[in-house]
Amino acid sequence: MRNLAAVTDPAESVLLRLSAIVELTEGDRDLLRNAGASTQRKIAVRRELISEGEPVSRPLMILAGWGARIRVLSDGRRQILSFVLPGDLIGVGRQRGALASSTVLALKDMVVAEAPCEQLLPDDSSLPAAYVASSSIDEFYLQSHITRLGRLTAYERCADFLLEIGERMSLAGLTEKNSFRMPLTQECLADALGLTSVHINRTLQALRKDGVISACGGRVTLHDPSALAHLVDHRRAPNIRRRAA
Amino acid sequence: MRNLAAVTDPAESVLLRLSAIVELTEGDRDLLRNAGASTQRKIAVRRELISEGEPVSRPLMILAGWGARIRVLSDGRRQILSFVLPGDLIGVGRQRGALASSTVLALKDMVVAEAPCEQLLPDDSSLPAAYVASSSIDEFYLQSHITRLGRLTAYERCADFLLEIGERMSLAGLTEKNSFRMPLTQECLADALGLTSVHINRTLQALRKDGVISACGGRVTLHDPSALAHLVDHRRAPNIRRRAA
DNA sequence: CGCCCCCTTGAAGTGTGTCAAATCGGGTGG
DNA sequence: CCACCCGATTTGACACACTTCAAGGGGGCG
């Protein structure tokens, strides 16, 4: 049972996600587990994990909770650039001391830990490769988000977005069948998808009416992900080693 | 005269851009100039520099020409994710052999060369730092693009976009005062900014009528960049060492 | 000269935004 | 256990930014 494991080991999501990217050595796993156990700290809702314009701290791994990378315009308009999920790494492959290009906000209480430092790894470690691959996956999702905002309708944006989150939650071992927790308000969805919360509401209703998703109590179920993926021409991240299953 | 220098040394734009990011050693400059002279090749318009889903080749530096990173949907809709300009690096900090997440297309005839290989650099080289910083700047621009598409009006999108391109051209030493060449069709602009070419046309007219830009013969002039930047809440890339001037 | 691509313009349609009010649901205090 | 409150969701009516469709014009190039 993956979910039970996630409870026992705080770094479980990170381990799952990274081993879907590269083959981790046993040493790597220990390093991650140790870092997860010894350097973890909590970030309360609404707190900023990283603040735009300030020097970034050490690279972090996300053990639990949801965050969002955001930009806020001077008149209050807000854009969510990406969501930060358990298993994700942030700030790896950045030069130390560089200024953050955007703010990362905790949407739910989060637990984070410091990612093992790249300079102090054994020679046979595959973590450097994992870090590089992890950031190319992040870049892929940024590109997908651009395409969503630029060329998809509201209906397609929602569907495509839910597919992506489902994929990412699955990588972190946080799905059961095609269902996962998604503790986002419709206003958050709106800020991510470039719409208003009113329109998000109507669009989600349309998706439910069409029977492609159901949602209740912060839990989303995709009824037929592959059919939906085909419908909205959804692309999955390349460079992920598909599980045998 | 910077422009004359750009003619004499093919790697001039790369040198200018990278030295705005980090302090380059004399050895670094030689490496870049040599690579620029010895490994350069041309890419004809409409040719793909990188093809989505295929393994990426060696990291490249752009010596001349314009390219675009694109995604195409199955029904023909197209989104331009970013533009590739002289001085840019592409594919640095990616694991060799990984699959490309998007296609890079030459919009004009391009000249590219292989970027000096990270493994073969002298210890005092600052190129690794430059590569890392260069890709965080790329990421910054992706984030800006998301914000443009998600939360700005057509008018703001165009203005913000032109400011960004002006900034980048200036880094590569390709501006004169506030004017630069921009060989993009309005359809390209539309595909980048998530609009139709018809609407781009009308929006550019509005910008001209308001006296904020003028454009003729593929040359754009921004009449008062800082006022415009303030108007549309434009943000410049962090981590760029401003020239003393 | 004539073709082709790109830009330009007009008129009409629609997806999404705006504004405002009602309802729901979960927490809190009496 | 009920009364209240607050944020989130839902609904309706209307407005408008942007799209669509279609036709015309301009400039480079064979």
Side-chain angles (χ1 to χ4, degrees):
Chain A
M1 280 290 144
R2 232 154 227 150
N3 297 9
L4 289 180
V7 171
T8 57
D9 180 0
E12 181 68 12
S13 288
V14 178
L15 285 170
L16 281 171
R17 199 180 90 104
L18 291 188
S19 48
I21 296 175
V22 301
E23 186 82 42
L24 294 178
T25 68
E26 206 39 60
D28 292 334
R29 295 173 180 277
D30 285 341
L31 278 168
L32 292 170
R33 275 189 280 253
N34 280 337
S38 63
T39 68
Q40 75 173 249
R41 66 176 200 270
K42 294 187 197 303
I43 314 285
V45 200
R46 250 166 246 277
R47 271 290 171 46
E48 293 185 2
L49 230 170
I50 290 177
S51 303
E52 181 177 349
E54 304 201 353
V56 292
S57 58
R58 318 237 343 222
L60 297 176
M61 45 193 204
I62 311 301
L63 306 186
W66 280 60
R69 199 174 272 278
I70 63 175
R71 287 243 192 122
V72 180
L73 304 189
S74 51
D75 63 357
R77 281 176 288 181
R78 186 174 85 150
Q79 177 65 44
I80 292 183
L81 306 168
S82 62
F83 289 99
V84 175
L85 270 52
D88 282 0
L89 302 178
I90 63 182
V92 299
R94 292 280 158 266
Q95 70 269 43
R96 298 292 307 275
L99 307 182
S101 58
S102 49
T103 295
V104 178
L105 197 71
L107 298 177
K108 281 278 158 188
D109 290 335
M110 300 178 74
V111 183
V112 307
E114 292 179 6
C117 177
E118 208 155 350
Q119 278 76 43
L120 308 176
L121 296 172
D123 282 346
D124 70 337
S125 171
S126 40
L127 282 180
Y131 289 173
V132 167
S134 174
S135 42
S136 20
I137 292 179
D138 291 346
E139 186 188 14
F140 170 84
Y141 285 127
L142 282 187
Q143 294 177 349
S144 302
H145 202 177
I146 289 176
T147 308
R148 256 195 300 267
L149 295 173
R151 284 297 179 231
L152 299 194
T153 64
Y155 190 94
E156 294 168 324
R157 281 183 216 185
C158 286
D160 185 73
F161 172 78
L162 291 174
L163 286 165
E164 181 179 305
I165 295 295
E167 240 169 79
R168 293 176 58 191
M169 291 295 270
S170 152
L171 272 186
L174 297 173
T175 53
E176 290 178 25
K177 292 185 278 173
N178 296 316
S179 135
F180 51 92
R181 290 216 62 234
M182 188 176 77
L184 298 180
T185 66
Q186 296 183 355
E187 190 171 354
C188 269
L189 277 174
D191 285 339
L193 298 179
L195 301 164
T196 57
S197 59
V198 172
H199 200 63
I200 286 285
N201 184 289
R202 298 198 231 259
T203 307
L204 289 178
Q205 286 178 49
L207 284 165
R208 279 189 290 243
K209 185 158 62 60
D210 294 352
V212 310
I213 66 162
S214 54
C216 75
R219 192 158 193 96
V220 175
T221 305
L222 305 175
H223 291 137
D224 187 347
S226 43
L228 187 57
H230 191 259
L231 179 68
V232 300
D233 198 22
H234 176 76
R235 250 160 261 195
R236 307 190 62 155
N239 303 319
I240 290 181
R241 311 185 306 154
R242 295 268 155 263
R243 301 232 179 75
Chain B
M1 281 290 144
R2 229 151 231 153
N3 297 8
L4 289 180
V7 171
T8 57
D9 180 0
E12 182 68 13
S13 289
V14 177
L15 285 169
L16 281 170
R17 199 180 92 103
L18 290 189
S19 47
I21 298 176
V22 300
E23 187 82 43
L24 293 178
T25 67
E26 207 38 62
D28 291 334
R29 294 172 181 276
D30 286 340
L31 278 169
L32 292 170
R33 276 190 279 254
N34 280 337
S38 63
T39 67
Q40 75 173 249
R41 66 176 201 272
K42 293 186 199 303
I43 313 286
V45 200
R46 250 163 247 279
R47 271 288 172 45
E48 293 185 2
L49 231 171
I50 290 176
S51 302
E52 181 178 348
E54 304 201 353
V56 293
S57 57
R58 319 235 344 222
L60 297 176
M61 45 192 203
I62 312 300
L63 306 186
W66 280 60
R69 199 174 273 277
I70 63 176
R71 287 241 193 126
V72 180
L73 304 189
S74 51
D75 63 357
R77 280 176 289 181
R78 186 174 83 152
Q79 177 65 43
I80 293 183
L81 306 168
S82 62
F83 289 100
V84 175
L85 269 52
D88 282 359
L89 302 177
I90 62 182
V92 300
R94 291 281 158 266
Q95 71 269 43
R96 298 292 308 277
L99 306 183
S101 59
S102 49
T103 295
V104 177
L105 197 70
L107 297 176
K108 282 279 159 189
D109 291 334
M110 300 178 75
V111 183
V112 306
E114 292 179 5
C117 178
E118 209 155 348
Q119 279 76 41
L120 308 175
L121 296 173
D123 281 347
D124 70 337
S125 171
S126 39
L127 283 180
Y131 290 173
V132 167
S134 175
S135 41
S136 30
I137 292 179
D138 291 345
E139 186 188 14
F140 170 83
Y141 285 127
L142 282 187
Q143 294 177 348
S144 303
H145 202 177
I146 289 176
T147 308
R148 256 195 299 267
L149 294 172
R151 285 296 178 233
L152 300 195
T153 65
Y155 190 95
E156 294 167 325
R157 282 183 215 186
C158 286
D160 185 73
F161 173 78
L162 291 174
L163 285 165
E164 181 180 304
I165 295 294
E167 239 170 76
R168 293 177 59 191
M169 291 296 269
S170 154
L171 272 187
L174 297 173
T175 51
E176 291 177 24
K177 292 184 279 177
N178 296 318
S179 133
F180 51 92
R181 291 216 62 234
M182 188 176 77
L184 297 179
T185 66
Q186 296 185 354
E187 190 171 355
C188 270
L189 278 174
D191 284 338
L193 298 179
L195 301 164
T196 59
S197 60
V198 172
H199 201 62
I200 286 284
N201 184 291
R202 297 196 234 260
T203 307
L204 290 178
Q205 286 177 49
L207 284 165
R208 278 188 292 242
K209 184 158 63 60
D210 293 352
V212 311
I213 67 160
S214 54
C216 75
R219 196 162 189 93
V220 175
T221 304
L222 306 175
H223 291 137
D224 187 347
S226 43
L228 187 57
H230 191 259
L231 180 68
V232 300
D233 199 22
H234 175 76
R235 251 161 259 193
R236 307 190 62 157
N239 302 318
I240 290 182
R241 310 184 308 152
R242 296 266 156 262
R243 301 232 179 77

